[in-house]
Amino acid sequence: MTAELVRGQNHPLPHTRLEIRVSAGKPVVAGATLGDEDGRVPGAEWVAHPGRPGLPGVEVSRQATADHRIAVELDAVPAAVHRVTVLLALPLGPAFPVRFGSVAAPFVAVADRDGAEIASYTITGLEAESAVVALELYRRRGAWKVRAVGQGYAGGLAELLADQGLDRAGELAAAVQEAVAPGLARTVGAPPPRTTEVRRSAATAAGGTGGDPGPGPGPTTQPPDRTAPQPPAQTHDGPVNYTHPGRQSVAPPPPPAAPPAEPGRPPVPVAGDATGWSMEERLYNQVWGMFEDLARTAAAYRSAVDFAESRLDQELDRALSDPRSRIAGSGDAARAAARARHDQLTEQAREVLDRDLAQLAAESDVVEPALPAAFARWDNPVWHAYRVPMEVPMALRLGDLHLPERPELRIPMLIRLPLERGLWVDSGRATSEAASLMDEGRIRRLAMDTAVAHAARLIAVYPAGDFTVHVIDPAGSAAAALAPLVQSGVLDQPPAAGAHGVSSVLAKLTQRVDLVQMAVRGGAADALPPDLDTAEQLLIVNDFPHGFDDRAVTQLRYLADEGPAVGVHLLMVADREDAGAYGPVLDPLWRSLLRITPVPDDHLADPWVQHIWTYEPPRIPPGSQVLQQVLAQVAEARRTWRR
């Protein structure tokens, strides 16, 4: 059971391999310091931050995002370390809040590596502070504990670091902010109208997003308020202004008025019943709201059932311990009354749940047909009227999510575009119940089919010329699955095979990341080579790590870490057990990717109540030619665009 901590409270840690989850609603910088028994940090080399994310036993994110996963291995920290302090700070810039009092209270949770939450803490009471010590893990008599701290600093990160004993705290704070600046430079709400010049500048300016890390309905971010979502963050000064005209100070328009409900009946659901500047944004926010409503409805039901069970246990215990229960069957009557009260409470909770689920199902029936192609399932008729878009959508459907209370009620899992994290399609059999029932060859084929479906959707929702796909298939084992991409002509180059093909593609993309990073940091986007492909780049990797030497593995890790900020994204198809020979070296790679599965699997948790959701991968209807038709239109649009 999760311990919900208040400020100053501590809790024992039963494990030493931990994951610290941070959810802040707005981009924040996350870091950690390693201190001695008095909590003092000997020097800057004992601080894990985006510019230096890895220390012995600690690894933090390289970017400022609204959600973080900090990996901690307490057995691996140096013996002199008695305290691991987790800190949060707001990024600098005119587009971002300057104090924690103006944003939602950050939420921090400590979980084991299997995802089971041990303790959580909501950091309340912050006002003018722009940096805060969230919590600390400390060693006491050989055992580790976690303490909720919540100490804020109005002087920002520099004051926080100085308070921990660092001499040149100001310089280190500046270096931390500089390290996250490239990723923040493309914090966008919606992209600008697309022209050739804008495409070139956009890609050279950084190619990825950092502000809302993402996923719409999914396991990583805080949802928008169903009634009043905030306007997207504004960008830093740069070669391209990605902000929506007029969003700096004007709230988005309210949703259209819904038809009046009949007396005594629930409101009639309407597609687009959420705030937003466009129908697309209103639908995105509405799906978020449905996701949150389902999570909270299920949480309320489970809580009510748990209360009924707990009350039944207590009443049965009292009946058994009461000597009078042994007289004339009074004990049987007391037990029967306790069970009757339990059944009544459970039935009441179920009635409320069924009512709420029915309303959500009715809303889903209205919203699903109205979704644009980027949000829609492959069987939606909108794909049969598909036309290559002129602008990038704000999000992409990655599959569906559902809970056991109503498996048929499925919420679209939307992730923001451009992608902030790479994707990993798990082709292993050991981590999924459905996969364990299949033979190895079948699950690998399904995994590659799933990856191709995701890649095709990404290609289809970007304007012509704005998205380039590369494929690494070392042994050529995915030829059948890759046929739609190859035969349609949407690939600029055939899939790379063999060790030479692997090294050639990785070298090309690594060089692109290096060049764009240097251009962004130096403010010299115009100095990039004229033949540089300015489109977003997607690298599909099949059957990793086969065909990869140590250098190739290092390059792949580099692309996973640095690529998203400059428009280079990974889509890996791999079984983690195949890479077991690398040991913990690849742990950061797996953590940097969003794991999805080719079969239904319950491995994703929501950011509010940590329900475990079942993920359903996208499926193309059997016998349908929709994928080939869409890719054919994309290929033709690209040929026209290049003329």
Side-chain angles (χ1 to χ4, degrees):
M1 184 175 180
T2 305
E4 298 181 1
L5 306 181
V6 297
R7 185 173 182 178
Q9 185 179 359
N10 60 42
H11 186 75
L13 293 172
H15 307 284
T16 57
R17 289 173 58 85
L18 304 170
E19 182 180 72
I20 299 175
R21 303 165 179 166
V22 177
S23 181
K26 294 288 185 181
V28 296
V29 180
T33 61
L34 305 183
D36 58 19
E37 289 184 283
D38 298 325
R40 297 188 65 80
V41 181
E45 67 275 10
W46 294 85
V47 181
H49 58 82
R52 182 181 174 167
L55 289 180
V58 179
E59 182 159 354
V60 302
S61 171
R62 294 175 180 269
Q63 300 183 26
T65 68
D67 293 89
H68 290 269
R69 298 290 187 269
I70 301 173
V72 178
E73 176 61 78
L74 294 174
D75 287 339
V77 301
V81 172
H82 289 261
R83 192 170 302 179
V84 179
T85 302
V86 177
L87 55 93
L88 307 176
L90 294 172
L92 300 180
F96 305 103
V98 297
R99 60 190 186 91
F100 275 109
S102 63
V103 300
F107 173 83
V108 187
V110 181
D112 62 26
R113 288 299 175 87
D114 293 328
E117 205 168 278
I118 300 169
S120 65
Y121 173 42
T122 301
I123 310 172
T124 58
L126 299 178
E127 290 296 339
E129 299 88 343
S130 59
V132 61
V133 172
L135 50 78
E136 62 182 13
L137 315 178
Y138 64 97
R139 191 186 340 229
R140 184 68 52 83
R141 299 186 184 92
W144 286 91
K145 294 184 177 183
V146 58
R147 177 185 290 119
V149 180
Q151 175 63 53
Y153 295 84
L157 187 57
E159 182 182 356
L160 185 157
L161 294 173
D163 193 41
Q164 297 209 2
L166 288 165
D167 293 333
R168 304 170 71 176
E171 295 179 14
L172 179 57
V176 172
Q177 296 289 356
E178 182 180 354
V180 300
L184 292 170
R186 281 178 56 87
T187 299
V188 300
R194 291 290 173 134
T195 66
T196 302
E197 291 73 24
V198 167
R199 277 198 297 272
R200 180 174 297 112
S201 299
T204 56
T209 189
D212 168 282
T220 58
T221 59
Q222 189 70 15
D225 189 310
R226 278 200 96 169
T227 57
Q230 298 300 310
Q234 307 302 304
T235 62
H236 294 296
D237 293 338
V240 181
N241 178 12
Y242 289 94
T243 57
H244 190 291
R247 287 201 187 186
Q248 287 80 353
S249 58
V250 181
E262 298 180 14
R265 298 184 64 85
V268 178
V270 176
D273 187 15
T275 56
W277 290 94
S278 64
M279 187 60 173
E280 178 192 51
E281 188 174 356
R282 292 200 297 270
L283 286 168
Y284 174 82
N285 289 337
Q286 186 173 15
V287 170
W288 256 116
M290 293 165 59
F291 182 51
E292 181 181 3
D293 285 351
L294 180 54
R296 299 195 186 284
T297 294
Y301 170 71
R302 294 177 187 182
S303 177
V305 171
D306 287 345
F307 171 76
E309 295 285 353
S310 175
R311 178 172 173 174
L312 174 62
D313 291 341
Q314 293 174 6
E315 291 181 348
L316 291 178
D317 287 343
R318 284 198 297 269
L320 289 172
S321 60
D322 188 351
R324 293 172 296 178
S325 64
R326 293 189 285 272
I327 301 174
S330 59
D332 293 338
R335 287 190 289 272
R339 291 192 176 93
R341 283 190 289 271
H342 166 269
D343 294 343
Q344 181 182 15
L345 290 173
T346 303
E347 289 173 5
Q348 290 175 348
R350 187 73 209 190
E351 288 176 1
V352 174
L353 174 69
D354 289 342
R355 180 200 64 201
D356 292 345
L357 292 181
Q359 181 65 17
L360 281 171
E363 187 173 10
S364 177
D365 291 342
V366 171
V367 169
E368 192 70 52
L371 295 177
F375 299 1
R377 290 195 298 253
W378 284 111
D379 60 358
N380 192 310
V382 70
W383 284 107
H384 295 286
Y386 168 79
R387 294 294 181 269
V388 178
M390 299 299 293
E391 294 186 358
V392 182
M394 67 185 301
L396 181 86
R397 188 173 190 152
L398 205 61
D400 293 335
L401 299 169
H402 66 80
L403 290 173
E405 281 78 8
R406 184 70 69 88
E408 65 274 17
L409 177 55
R410 301 184 177 184
I411 306 297
M413 179 179 174
L414 305 181
I415 57 171
R416 292 296 297 265
L417 291 178
L419 296 173
E420 196 227 15
R421 300 173 66 187
L423 304 176
W424 164 31
V425 182
D426 190 349
S427 60
R429 298 177 63 240
T431 54
S432 167
E433 181 179 354
S436 65
L437 301 176
M438 300 181 183
D439 64 76
E440 183 177 345
R442 184 183 177 196
I443 193 66
R444 289 181 184 272
R445 288 193 298 273
L446 275 176
M448 197 61 204
D449 288 340
T450 301
V452 169
H454 288 310
R457 183 181 288 262
L458 279 164
I459 295 170
V461 302
Y462 272 81
D466 276 18
F467 202 82
T468 301
V469 178
H470 310 266
V471 180
I472 290 178
D473 185 20
S477 59
L482 292 169
L485 301 180
V486 174
Q487 295 172 3
S488 64
V490 296
L491 298 181
D492 290 347
Q493 300 291 333
H500 175 73
V502 171
S503 61
S504 176
V505 172
L506 291 176
K508 178 181 178 181
L509 292 177
T510 301
Q511 182 186 43
R512 184 190 187 278
V513 171
D514 289 339
L515 288 173
V516 176
Q517 280 187 338
M518 288 189 292
V520 171
R521 290 168 182 168
D526 295 338
L528 286 169
D531 60 344
L532 183 78
D533 185 2
T534 60
E536 297 276 319
Q537 310 286 310
L538 178 71
L539 173 59
I540 303 175
V541 178
N542 179 45
D543 216 14
F544 175 82
H546 300 300
F548 281 72
D549 56 20
D550 289 346
R551 176 179 173 82
V553 169
T554 300
Q555 289 176 318
L556 192 69
R557 285 189 55 188
Y558 176 74
L559 292 178
D561 290 338
E562 304 293 340
V566 291
V568 178
H569 314 284
L570 287 184
L571 175 51
M572 284 184 50
V573 180
D575 179 357
R576 188 167 183 173
E577 290 188 356
D578 290 346
Y582 288 92
V585 172
L586 289 182
D587 285 353
L589 173 64
W590 305 118
R591 286 196 298 267
S592 70
L593 304 173
L594 174 61
R595 175 179 173 260
I596 52 180
T597 53
V599 292
D601 186 39
D602 52 351
H603 67 281
L604 297 174
D606 63 71
W608 310 290
V609 290
Q610 295 295 303
H611 286 325
I612 302 301
W613 294 72
T614 296
Y615 167 76
E616 293 271 356
R619 287 283 179 261
I620 297 172
S624 173
Q625 294 296 309
V626 63
L627 187 65
Q628 290 78 1
Q629 294 168 3
V630 167
L631 292 176
Q633 289 199 43
V634 172
E636 177 60 29
R638 290 187 173 194
R639 286 190 289 269
T640 302
W641 177 77
R642 287 169 179 162
R643 292 172 186 167

